[in-house]
């Protein structure tokens, strides 16, 4: 296994406090996927069986509305996407497209299952970390939604 991959995961909150052997289980057989500018990693509505860790480059997260794609935000090296798929087994909630040549590690649900079989404590830790990441993103989305509502004239339901 490339030492750089392990080092990258060790810097990310979603993999925080995981032991090296647990990270190696997740990376075992994990392919690296390269996309050129404009190519998609995932599309909104697709079935989901993996998450991605960006090694190099940048992607944008897109959401469809009224027949158009809207950019929600960008992610860069050291960020991840698709972790919700490993938690809820629902179809992709957004599309992710490379905005420059990008390389990402694909971590499949099968890797998480291998980790659960070999070390339930480490599996629980990564599940908690993924939950924290999803909550952090939810808080950010709430803040942006509230800001947009206030800019649009303060149409909040009730002022306290």
């Amino acid at each position: 296994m490339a030492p750089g991959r392990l080092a990258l995961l060790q810097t990310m909150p979603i993999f925080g406090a995981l032991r090296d052997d647990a990270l190696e289980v997740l990376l075992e057989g994990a392919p690296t996927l390269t996309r050129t500018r404009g190519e998609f990693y995932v599309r909104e509505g697709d079935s989901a069986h993996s998450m991605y860790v960006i090694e190099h480059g940048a992607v944008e997260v897109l959401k469809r509305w009224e027949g158009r794609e809207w950019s929600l935000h960008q992610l860069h090296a050291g960020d991840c996407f698709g972790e919700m798929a490993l938690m809820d087994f629902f179809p992709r909630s957004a599309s992710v497209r490379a905005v420059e040549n990008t390389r990402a590690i694909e971590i499949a649900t099968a890797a998480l299952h291998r980790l659960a079989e070999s070390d339930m404590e480490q599996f629980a830790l990564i599940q908690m970390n993924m939950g924290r990441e999803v909550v952090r993103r939810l808080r950010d989305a709430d803040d942006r939604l509230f800001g947009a509502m206030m800019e649009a004239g303060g149409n909040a339901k009730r002022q306290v």
Side-chain angles (χ1 to χ4, degrees), residues 44-121:
E44 185 176 350
D46 287 352
S47 62
H49 307 287
S50 56
M51 67 175 283
Y52 301 84
V53 176
I54 303 170
E55 286 187 291
H56 171 79
V59 299
E60 64 181 335
V61 179
L62 304 161
K63 191 84 173 146
R64 289 195 67 76
W65 187 64
E66 294 187 352
R68 293 184 55 201
E69 287 183 324
W70 298 84
S71 180
L72 299 177
H73 57 276
Q74 287 194 3
L75 302 169
H76 302 89
D79 289 328
C80 63
F81 59 92
E83 69 285 345
M84 286 187 344
L86 301 182
M87 297 178 73
D88 69 5
F89 306 111
F90 280 95
R92 299 283 182 196
S93 63
S95 298
V96 178
R97 178 174 62 200
V99 295
E100 59 188 59
N101 293 346
T102 303
R103 185 178 63 242
I105 304 165
E106 181 180 22
I107 299 175
T109 54
L112 279 177
H113 292 153
R114 283 194 311 272
L115 182 60
E117 290 171 357
S118 66
D119 192 327
M120 185 53 76
E121 184 178 303

Side-chain angles (χ1 to χ4, degrees), residues 18-27 115 118-119 122-123:
L18 264 73
R19 295 187 318 262
D20 288 357
D21 62 315
L23 293 173
E24 289 171 0
V25 169
L26 294 176
L27 290 173
L115 182 60
S118 66
D119 192 327
Q122 291 290 287
F123 174 76

